[in-house]
Amino acid sequence: MKVKDPVCGMTIDSDRAAAHGTYDGETVYFCAVSCQKTFEARRAKR
Ligand SMILES: [Zn+2]
């Protein structure tokens, strides 16, 4: 499944995502662990 990394906008394959997490019941995939960290940091600021 093709998914979009919400941090850098890169299209990645969910099977090859370097990191993923579930946020508000939705699984979000990232190209790198650093993108996940950025995503989580942004969420924490809300
Ligand atoms: Zn990324």
Side-chain angles (χ1 to χ4, degrees):
M1 183 176 69
K2 293 277 184 196
V3 292
K4 198 174 176 187
D5 182 324
V7 177
C8 63
M10 188 189 279
T11 302
I12 48 174
D13 197 311
S14 59
D15 292 335
R16 293 181 187 173
H20 70 272
T22 306
Y23 306 96
D24 300 325
E26 213 176 310
T27 305
V28 182
Y29 295 88
F30 306 94
C31 70
V33 173
S34 60
C35 279
Q36 184 177 27
K37 297 266 182 241
T38 302
F39 184 80
E40 288 179 352
R42 283 184 192 170
R43 280 175 58 85
K45 279 182 186 172
R46 267 199 280 161

